[in-house]
Amino acid sequence: MRITITVENPTLEALEKLLALAAIPTAVVTAVPDDRWTPERARSYYDRLPPRAQQILLQVVEGEGECSADELKANGRHLRGSTGAFRRVLSEGKRTGLWPDALPVPLVSHIVAGRLKKLEMPGSGTDQFAHSAFAEGLRDVLSTGRHGH
């Protein structure tokens, strides 16, 4: 038996009832904080991105969580309009209840002197770093090399 429950701001009484449920010997209970990416959330997010944003996300994942703007623009590709999809898709997912409100944007832009220098996954070296969740969630896409390298 597997039970997946999301509880926002639970009362003490609600927590006690959930813990009693978790005590059932055959239950497998895992708790995922609302502000963490999971492989399932990462894949669901990727699947909703437009194609160019998917390519960019894959390059960042392959780059261990970061990729320079020059590398992203190689072969005459552009970034214009592509990076806005990362926040837009996340906002839409939160609004429709697909993902929790506390889930952070998985990619941020580093701009120096008005120029985009790189895209990276924030939180490197912390438990907020989403790289491993995305690497696991996108393993099949990464291994097939379908993203046009």
Side-chain angles (χ1 to χ4, degrees):
M1 171 171 63
R2 179 180 173 168
I3 301 169
T4 304
I5 301 171
T6 301
V7 182
E8 293 181 15
N9 305 319
T11 63
L12 185 58
E13 182 184 0
L15 278 179
E16 287 171 356
K17 287 180 180 177
L18 285 173
L19 289 174
L21 203 71
I24 297 171
T26 58
V28 175
V29 179
T30 55
V32 178
D34 282 354
D35 64 350
R36 299 291 190 285
W37 284 95
T38 63
E40 296 78 19
R41 287 174 180 168
R43 182 54 189 253
S44 171
Y45 177 79
Y46 170 83
D47 287 342
R48 285 164 175 76
L49 289 171
R52 180 64 179 126
Q54 286 179 335
Q55 291 173 341
I56 292 168
L57 178 59
L58 290 171
Q59 281 185 260
V60 171
V61 171
E62 286 179 328
E64 300 300 314
E66 70 176 59
C67 192
S68 74
D70 290 342
E71 196 175 324
L72 290 168
K73 291 189 270 188
N75 303 321
R77 292 192 164 130
H78 65 83
L79 298 175
R80 200 172 315 117
S82 301
T83 56
F86 298 115
R87 287 190 188 279
R88 187 179 67 251
V89 167
L90 184 63
S91 295
E92 289 169 5
K94 288 177 179 182
R95 192 175 60 251
T96 60
L98 187 61
W99 302 303
D101 284 339
L103 201 58
V105 68
L107 287 183
V108 294
S109 302
H110 277 263
I111 298 172
V112 178
R115 290 180 47 92
L116 179 67
K117 291 296 181 186
K118 68 177 177 177
L119 287 176
E120 74 174 1
M121 297 183 139
S124 181
T126 72
D127 59 1
Q128 292 280 343
F129 192 46
H131 181 265
S132 61
F134 276 85
E136 186 179 332
L138 303 179
R139 184 181 301 129
D140 62 327
V141 184
L142 290 163
S143 66
T144 60
R146 287 190 325 207
H147 53 282
H149 267 315

